[in-house]
Amino acid sequence: MIEIRGLDHVVLRTVDTPAMLRFYVEALGCPVEREIEALGLIQLRAGSALIDLVPVDRPLGELGGAPPGAEGRNVDHFCLRIADFDEEELRAHLEAHGVEPGDVGTRYGAEGNGPSMYVKDPDGNVVELKGPPDPGA
């Protein structure tokens, strides 16, 4: 039997690596864990998981075909569980980094119902930021 323990990594093909690094490293706080320049791979730490950025004009990225865009995204969305969810503080932080905050709603996730917000990265990938589960959820 297979036992899933959580998200290991997500691979995002990108057309603008510097903008993606600003979003994931500066705005969301995911540190760069490792880079393999020859392949065109940048791995970012997101809690216990990784987000791999693969530029479409580098060896790994070229394997995936056309670049991401509104007419053919590679990912619908992925969810990052965040430790705290103070809506006002989160909005201020995102806006300070040029990220448009989305609407907040209570949504179901791996730990039950809790607050979440959708944002978009520079390539248009949708990222859900999910807080702790509601008490009693």
PDB file of all heavy atoms in Angstrom, residues 55-80:
ATOM      1  N   PRO A  55      13.331  27.364 -16.114  1.00  0.00           N
ATOM      2  CA  PRO A  55      13.158  28.291 -17.234  1.00  0.00           C
ATOM      3  C   PRO A  55      12.919  27.550 -18.546  1.00  0.00           C
ATOM      4  O   PRO A  55      13.596  26.561 -18.834  1.00  0.00           O
ATOM      5  CB  PRO A  55      14.485  29.057 -17.275  1.00  0.00           C
ATOM      6  CG  PRO A  55      15.078  28.880 -15.904  1.00  0.00           C
ATOM      7  CD  PRO A  55      14.624  27.516 -15.444  1.00  0.00           C
ATOM      8  N   VAL A  56      11.950  28.016 -19.344  1.00  0.00           N
ATOM      9  CA  VAL A  56      11.579  27.314 -20.578  1.00  0.00           C
ATOM     10  C   VAL A  56      12.676  27.338 -21.639  1.00  0.00           C
ATOM     11  O   VAL A  56      12.641  26.536 -22.567  1.00  0.00           O
ATOM     12  CB  VAL A  56      10.262  27.856 -21.177  1.00  0.00           C
ATOM     13  CG1 VAL A  56       9.097  27.618 -20.224  1.00  0.00           C
ATOM     14  CG2 VAL A  56      10.372  29.320 -21.546  1.00  0.00           C
ATOM     15  N   ASP A  57      13.653  28.222 -21.487  1.00  0.00           N
ATOM     16  CA  ASP A  57      14.722  28.313 -22.485  1.00  0.00           C
ATOM     17  C   ASP A  57      16.004  27.590 -22.050  1.00  0.00           C
ATOM     18  O   ASP A  57      17.065  27.802 -22.618  1.00  0.00           O
ATOM     19  CB  ASP A  57      15.022  29.772 -22.826  1.00  0.00           C
ATOM     20  CG  ASP A  57      15.505  30.574 -21.628  1.00  0.00           C
ATOM     21  OD1 ASP A  57      15.443  30.068 -20.475  1.00  0.00           O
ATOM     22  OD2 ASP A  57      15.937  31.722 -21.829  1.00  0.00           O
ATOM     23  N   ARG A  58      15.904  26.739 -21.040  1.00  0.00           N
ATOM     24  CA  ARG A  58      17.049  25.975 -20.540  1.00  0.00           C
ATOM     25  C   ARG A  58      16.787  24.482 -20.786  1.00  0.00           C
ATOM     26  O   ARG A  58      15.667  24.093 -21.096  1.00  0.00           O
ATOM     27  CB  ARG A  58      17.264  26.247 -19.049  1.00  0.00           C
ATOM     28  CG  ARG A  58      17.535  27.726 -18.706  1.00  0.00           C
ATOM     29  CD  ARG A  58      18.798  28.288 -19.377  1.00  0.00           C
ATOM     30  NE  ARG A  58      19.948  27.422 -19.244  1.00  0.00           N
ATOM     31  CZ  ARG A  58      20.741  27.367 -18.179  1.00  0.00           C
ATOM     32  NH1 ARG A  58      20.543  28.150 -17.157  1.00  0.00           N
ATOM     33  NH2 ARG A  58      21.753  26.529 -18.160  1.00  0.00           N
ATOM     34  N   PRO A  59      17.801  23.619 -20.647  1.00  0.00           N
ATOM     35  CA  PRO A  59      17.645  22.210 -21.010  1.00  0.00           C
ATOM     36  C   PRO A  59      16.405  21.511 -20.430  1.00  0.00           C
ATOM     37  O   PRO A  59      15.664  20.867 -21.177  1.00  0.00           O
ATOM     38  CB  PRO A  59      18.936  21.572 -20.502  1.00  0.00           C
ATOM     39  CG  PRO A  59      19.944  22.666 -20.627  1.00  0.00           C
ATOM     40  CD  PRO A  59      19.185  23.925 -20.252  1.00  0.00           C
ATOM     41  N   LEU A  60      16.157  21.617 -19.142  1.00  0.00           N
ATOM     42  CA  LEU A  60      14.973  20.952 -18.572  1.00  0.00           C
ATOM     43  C   LEU A  60      13.685  21.582 -19.085  1.00  0.00           C
ATOM     44  O   LEU A  60      12.730  20.882 -19.417  1.00  0.00           O
ATOM     45  CB  LEU A  60      14.984  21.023 -17.043  1.00  0.00           C
ATOM     46  CG  LEU A  60      15.875  20.048 -16.307  1.00  0.00           C
ATOM     47  CD1 LEU A  60      15.746  20.255 -14.799  1.00  0.00           C
ATOM     48  CD2 LEU A  60      15.555  18.617 -16.665  1.00  0.00           C
ATOM     49  N   GLY A  61      13.648  22.900 -19.138  1.00  0.00           N
ATOM     50  CA  GLY A  61      12.451  23.603 -19.576  1.00  0.00           C
ATOM     51  C   GLY A  61      12.088  23.331 -21.027  1.00  0.00           C
ATOM     52  O   GLY A  61      10.907  23.283 -21.385  1.00  0.00           O
ATOM     53  N   GLU A  62      13.084  23.154 -21.854  1.00  0.00           N
ATOM     54  CA  GLU A  62      12.832  22.883 -23.283  1.00  0.00           C
ATOM     55  C   GLU A  62      12.125  21.549 -23.494  1.00  0.00           C
ATOM     56  O   GLU A  62      11.431  21.364 -24.489  1.00  0.00           O
ATOM     57  CB  GLU A  62      14.151  22.916 -24.063  1.00  0.00           C
ATOM     58  CG  GLU A  62      14.726  24.316 -24.171  1.00  0.00           C
ATOM     59  CD  GLU A  62      16.115  24.344 -24.783  1.00  0.00           C
ATOM     60  OE1 GLU A  62      16.775  23.277 -24.883  1.00  0.00           O
ATOM     61  OE2 GLU A  62      16.563  25.436 -25.156  1.00  0.00           O
ATOM     62  N   LEU A  63      12.260  20.641 -22.543  1.00  0.00           N
ATOM     63  CA  LEU A  63      11.619  19.326 -22.662  1.00  0.00           C
ATOM     64  C   LEU A  63      10.100  19.404 -22.523  1.00  0.00           C
ATOM     65  O   LEU A  63       9.395  18.498 -22.950  1.00  0.00           O
ATOM     66  CB  LEU A  63      12.163  18.366 -21.599  1.00  0.00           C
ATOM     67  CG  LEU A  63      13.647  18.024 -21.686  1.00  0.00           C
ATOM     68  CD1 LEU A  63      14.050  17.167 -20.487  1.00  0.00           C
ATOM     69  CD2 LEU A  63      13.959  17.307 -22.993  1.00  0.00           C
ATOM     70  N   GLY A  64       9.594  20.484 -21.940  1.00  0.00           N
ATOM     71  CA  GLY A  64       8.167  20.585 -21.658  1.00  0.00           C
ATOM     72  C   GLY A  64       7.320  21.215 -22.737  1.00  0.00           C
ATOM     73  O   GLY A  64       6.123  21.383 -22.564  1.00  0.00           O
ATOM     74  N   GLY A  65       7.904  21.596 -23.855  1.00  0.00           N
ATOM     75  CA  GLY A  65       7.115  22.184 -24.939  1.00  0.00           C
ATOM     76  C   GLY A  65       6.941  23.684 -24.804  1.00  0.00           C
ATOM     77  O   GLY A  65       7.812  24.373 -24.301  1.00  0.00           O
ATOM     78  N   ALA A  66       5.778  24.165 -25.258  1.00  0.00           N
ATOM     79  CA  ALA A  66       5.501  25.598 -25.282  1.00  0.00           C
ATOM     80  C   ALA A  66       5.516  26.178 -23.873  1.00  0.00           C
ATOM     81  O   ALA A  66       5.246  25.471 -22.898  1.00  0.00           O
ATOM     82  CB  ALA A  66       4.144  25.848 -25.940  1.00  0.00           C
ATOM     83  N   PRO A  67       5.809  27.467 -23.752  1.00  0.00           N
ATOM     84  CA  PRO A  67       5.842  28.108 -22.431  1.00  0.00           C
ATOM     85  C   PRO A  67       4.438  28.220 -21.833  1.00  0.00           C
ATOM     86  O   PRO A  67       3.438  28.178 -22.546  1.00  0.00           O
ATOM     87  CB  PRO A  67       6.433  29.487 -22.712  1.00  0.00           C
ATOM     88  CG  PRO A  67       6.159  29.742 -24.138  1.00  0.00           C
ATOM     89  CD  PRO A  67       6.160  28.400 -24.814  1.00  0.00           C
ATOM     90  N   PRO A  68       4.374  28.361 -20.499  1.00  0.00           N
ATOM     91  CA  PRO A  68       3.080  28.529 -19.860  1.00  0.00           C
ATOM     92  C   PRO A  68       2.431  29.837 -20.286  1.00  0.00           C
ATOM     93  O   PRO A  68       3.106  30.791 -20.624  1.00  0.00           O
ATOM     94  CB  PRO A  68       3.405  28.543 -18.360  1.00  0.00           C
ATOM     95  CG  PRO A  68       4.847  28.902 -18.276  1.00  0.00           C
ATOM     96  CD  PRO A  68       5.477  28.420 -19.549  1.00  0.00           C
ATOM     97  N   GLY A  69       1.111  29.845 -20.299  1.00  0.00           N
ATOM     98  CA  GLY A  69       0.353  31.039 -20.649  1.00  0.00           C
ATOM     99  C   GLY A  69      -1.107  30.815 -20.323  1.00  0.00           C
ATOM    100  O   GLY A  69      -1.510  29.710 -19.952  1.00  0.00           O
ATOM    101  N   ALA A  70      -1.901  31.841 -20.457  1.00  0.00           N
ATOM    102  CA  ALA A  70      -3.316  31.755 -20.096  1.00  0.00           C
ATOM    103  C   ALA A  70      -4.045  30.664 -20.870  1.00  0.00           C
ATOM    104  O   ALA A  70      -4.981  30.051 -20.376  1.00  0.00           O
ATOM    105  CB  ALA A  70      -3.992  33.102 -20.321  1.00  0.00           C
ATOM    106  N   GLU A  71      -3.613  30.398 -22.096  1.00  0.00           N
ATOM    107  CA  GLU A  71      -4.296  29.400 -22.927  1.00  0.00           C
ATOM    108  C   GLU A  71      -3.807  27.979 -22.694  1.00  0.00           C
ATOM    109  O   GLU A  71      -4.380  27.045 -23.214  1.00  0.00           O
ATOM    110  CB  GLU A  71      -4.148  29.757 -24.409  1.00  0.00           C
ATOM    111  CG  GLU A  71      -2.732  29.634 -24.957  1.00  0.00           C
ATOM    112  CD  GLU A  71      -1.773  30.738 -24.523  1.00  0.00           C
ATOM    113  OE1 GLU A  71      -2.214  31.785 -24.036  1.00  0.00           O
ATOM    114  OE2 GLU A  71      -0.562  30.528 -24.666  1.00  0.00           O
ATOM    115  N   GLY A  72      -2.766  27.798 -21.923  1.00  0.00           N
ATOM    116  CA  GLY A  72      -2.248  26.452 -21.719  1.00  0.00           C
ATOM    117  C   GLY A  72      -1.395  26.323 -20.478  1.00  0.00           C
ATOM    118  O   GLY A  72      -0.227  26.012 -20.575  1.00  0.00           O
ATOM    119  N   ARG A  73      -1.956  26.587 -19.312  1.00  0.00           N
ATOM    120  CA  ARG A  73      -1.187  26.479 -18.072  1.00  0.00           C
ATOM    121  C   ARG A  73      -0.822  25.023 -17.807  1.00  0.00           C
ATOM    122  O   ARG A  73      -1.550  24.106 -18.166  1.00  0.00           O
ATOM    123  CB  ARG A  73      -1.994  27.026 -16.901  1.00  0.00           C
ATOM    124  CG  ARG A  73      -2.250  28.505 -16.987  1.00  0.00           C
ATOM    125  CD  ARG A  73      -2.865  29.033 -15.723  1.00  0.00           C
ATOM    126  NE  ARG A  73      -3.829  28.107 -15.150  1.00  0.00           N
ATOM    127  CZ  ARG A  73      -5.019  28.447 -14.747  1.00  0.00           C
ATOM    128  NH1 ARG A  73      -5.428  29.672 -14.856  1.00  0.00           N
ATOM    129  NH2 ARG A  73      -5.814  27.552 -14.208  1.00  0.00           N
ATOM    130  N   ASN A  74       0.284  24.841 -17.131  1.00  0.00           N
ATOM    131  CA  ASN A  74       0.735  23.504 -16.777  1.00  0.00           C
ATOM    132  C   ASN A  74       0.144  23.039 -15.445  1.00  0.00           C
ATOM    133  O   ASN A  74       0.116  21.854 -15.163  1.00  0.00           O
ATOM    134  CB  ASN A  74       2.261  23.470 -16.668  1.00  0.00           C
ATOM    135  CG  ASN A  74       2.917  23.717 -18.002  1.00  0.00           C
ATOM    136  OD1 ASN A  74       2.322  23.494 -19.038  1.00  0.00           O
ATOM    137  ND2 ASN A  74       4.146  24.188 -17.983  1.00  0.00           N
ATOM    138  N   VAL A  75      -0.305  23.964 -14.610  1.00  0.00           N
ATOM    139  CA  VAL A  75      -0.802  23.653 -13.273  1.00  0.00           C
ATOM    140  C   VAL A  75      -2.055  24.492 -13.040  1.00  0.00           C
ATOM    141  O   VAL A  75      -2.081  25.674 -13.370  1.00  0.00           O
ATOM    142  CB  VAL A  75       0.259  24.034 -12.202  1.00  0.00           C
ATOM    143  CG1 VAL A  75      -0.266  23.849 -10.796  1.00  0.00           C
ATOM    144  CG2 VAL A  75       1.540  23.245 -12.394  1.00  0.00           C
ATOM    145  N   ASP A  76      -3.126  23.899 -12.460  1.00  0.00           N
ATOM    146  CA  ASP A  76      -4.295  24.701 -12.106  1.00  0.00           C
ATOM    147  C   ASP A  76      -3.953  25.577 -10.920  1.00  0.00           C
ATOM    148  O   ASP A  76      -4.064  26.793 -10.979  1.00  0.00           O
ATOM    149  CB  ASP A  76      -5.494  23.812 -11.764  1.00  0.00           C
ATOM    150  CG  ASP A  76      -6.689  24.631 -11.313  1.00  0.00           C
ATOM    151  OD1 ASP A  76      -7.286  25.306 -12.166  1.00  0.00           O
ATOM    152  OD2 ASP A  76      -6.988  24.638 -10.096  1.00  0.00           O
ATOM    153  N   HIS A  77      -3.573  24.979  -9.803  1.00  0.00           N
ATOM    154  CA  HIS A  77      -3.050  25.710  -8.652  1.00  0.00           C
ATOM    155  C   HIS A  77      -2.396  24.714  -7.715  1.00  0.00           C
ATOM    156  O   HIS A  77      -2.591  23.510  -7.839  1.00  0.00           O
ATOM    157  CB  HIS A  77      -4.147  26.516  -7.931  1.00  0.00           C
ATOM    158  CG  HIS A  77      -4.961  25.765  -6.932  1.00  0.00           C
ATOM    159  ND1 HIS A  77      -6.052  24.990  -7.289  1.00  0.00           N
ATOM    160  CD2 HIS A  77      -4.840  25.643  -5.594  1.00  0.00           C
ATOM    161  CE1 HIS A  77      -6.575  24.454  -6.214  1.00  0.00           C
ATOM    162  NE2 HIS A  77      -5.853  24.826  -5.161  1.00  0.00           N
ATOM    163  N   PHE A  78      -1.595  25.243  -6.807  1.00  0.00           N
ATOM    164  CA  PHE A  78      -1.101  24.412  -5.719  1.00  0.00           C
ATOM    165  C   PHE A  78      -1.228  25.219  -4.448  1.00  0.00           C
ATOM    166  O   PHE A  78      -1.343  26.440  -4.479  1.00  0.00           O
ATOM    167  CB  PHE A  78       0.333  23.906  -5.963  1.00  0.00           C
ATOM    168  CG  PHE A  78       1.371  24.969  -6.037  1.00  0.00           C
ATOM    169  CD1 PHE A  78       2.073  25.360  -4.907  1.00  0.00           C
ATOM    170  CD2 PHE A  78       1.668  25.571  -7.249  1.00  0.00           C
ATOM    171  CE1 PHE A  78       3.049  26.347  -4.986  1.00  0.00           C
ATOM    172  CE2 PHE A  78       2.643  26.546  -7.338  1.00  0.00           C
ATOM    173  CZ  PHE A  78       3.329  26.943  -6.198  1.00  0.00           C
ATOM    174  N   CYS A  79      -1.264  24.511  -3.342  1.00  0.00           N
ATOM    175  CA  CYS A  79      -1.548  25.146  -2.064  1.00  0.00           C
ATOM    176  C   CYS A  79      -0.331  25.068  -1.150  1.00  0.00           C
ATOM    177  O   CYS A  79       0.258  24.000  -0.987  1.00  0.00           O
ATOM    178  CB  CYS A  79      -2.742  24.441  -1.421  1.00  0.00           C
ATOM    179  SG  CYS A  79      -3.208  25.118   0.177  1.00  0.00           S
ATOM    180  N   LEU A  80       0.011  26.209  -0.561  1.00  0.00           N
ATOM    181  CA  LEU A  80       1.076  26.270   0.436  1.00  0.00           C
ATOM    182  C   LEU A  80       0.429  26.533   1.791  1.00  0.00           C
ATOM    183  O   LEU A  80      -0.293  27.522   1.963  1.00  0.00           O
ATOM    184  CB  LEU A  80       2.062  27.396   0.112  1.00  0.00           C
ATOM    185  CG  LEU A  80       2.822  27.267  -1.199  1.00  0.00           C
ATOM    186  CD1 LEU A  80       3.667  28.504  -1.441  1.00  0.00           C
ATOM    187  CD2 LEU A  80       3.691  26.014  -1.195  1.00  0.00           C
TER     188      LEU A  80
END
